[in-house]
Amino acid sequence: GPVHLTTLAGIRRIDVISAEDMGQAVQSECQDCDIFIGVAAVADYRPAYAKTYKLKKSPQTMTIDMTLNLDILANVLQMPNPPFTVGFCAETENLQQNAKEKMKHKPVDMLIANLVSNPKHDHFVTGFDRQDNAVTVFGVHGQRSFARMAKTVLAQQLIAMIAEQFKAKNDRK
């Protein structure tokens, strides 16, 4: 989405506003890419109807109809020749079970999953608003857990693992 961050040298940034905009940009850009890393956390749902005016407060409750957003990762996987695809999933419970279920429906090459909160264990909250994270990576290689560490260090280790798995997949072809 729109940000006020400076775009670093060597980076081509494509600004989008909606999940639909992002889906179109991804489809356009993925036609000639080797690796797709789906790191954006696009909301699963959006309001079915957008109002152009402020909704006034009333003493009654309000219901908002929601509709599914485009599933960008699923669309990439349905391309005729999809790139090596890495997905992410943030879970609040049953990390392994939910990650494995997601891989059944979206057969990515790698799925990087993390437990973002757990009401029973408030001390184990990772992912958001922190400088560190802990993840488990699922894929054809099995699964590998990364202990809590600085996000910058974790990112370097994940990129190395993606490169290794990408090479291994291409060597098998």
Side-chain angles (χ1 to χ4, degrees):
V3 296
H4 299 289
L5 302 172
T6 302
T7 303
L8 301 174
I11 302 293
R12 185 169 63 88
R13 184 172 95 190
I14 301 169
D15 291 324
V16 298
I17 295 174
S18 68
E20 287 179 345
D21 293 345
M22 184 178 289
Q24 290 173 2
V26 166
Q27 284 298 305
S28 174
E29 296 297 316
C30 274
Q31 298 303 317
D32 296 317
C33 74
D34 295 319
I35 300 174
F36 174 75
I37 304 173
V39 297
V42 175
D44 292 330
Y45 294 91
R46 69 178 185 279
Y49 309 100
K51 302 290 185 189
T52 58
Y53 55 88
K54 177 184 173 188
L55 298 174
K56 299 292 185 184
K57 187 187 310 184
S58 75
Q60 300 168 356
T61 61
M62 178 184 295
T63 301
I64 299 174
D65 291 325
M66 304 294 277
T67 188
L68 276 172
N69 262 330
L70 174 71
D71 189 329
I72 296 170
L73 186 60
N75 281 4
V76 169
L77 291 167
Q78 292 171 2
M79 294 173 64
N81 294 306
F84 183 92
T85 304
V86 180
F88 283 76
C89 74
E91 297 293 340
T92 57
E93 60 186 1
N94 304 320
L95 180 75
Q96 288 193 18
Q97 177 184 338
N98 291 338
K100 289 177 181 179
E101 188 65 26
K102 183 172 185 171
M103 288 191 72
K104 285 180 187 175
H105 300 291
K106 298 178 190 175
V108 294
D109 294 289
M110 291 175 66
L111 182 69
I112 301 170
N114 66 325
L115 192 63
V116 294
S117 69
N118 187 330
K120 296 178 186 172
H121 305 285
D122 284 338
H123 67 282
F124 191 74
V125 178
T126 62
F128 304 118
D129 295 327
R130 299 184 59 97
Q131 296 301 314
D132 59 8
N133 201 355
V135 300
T136 301
V137 180
F138 299 85
V140 295
H141 60 278
Q143 75 183 56
R144 179 176 168 199
S145 293
F146 289 81
R148 185 183 298 246
M149 66 183 80
K151 285 182 179 180
T152 53
V153 174
L154 180 58
Q156 291 170 345
Q157 291 185 18
L158 291 173
I159 290 295
M161 185 177 191
I162 290 167
E164 175 185 297
Q165 293 299 316
F166 173 72
K167 182 181 182 315
K169 182 177 180 176
N170 283 337
D171 287 349
R172 288 191 298 267
K173 287 184 178 179

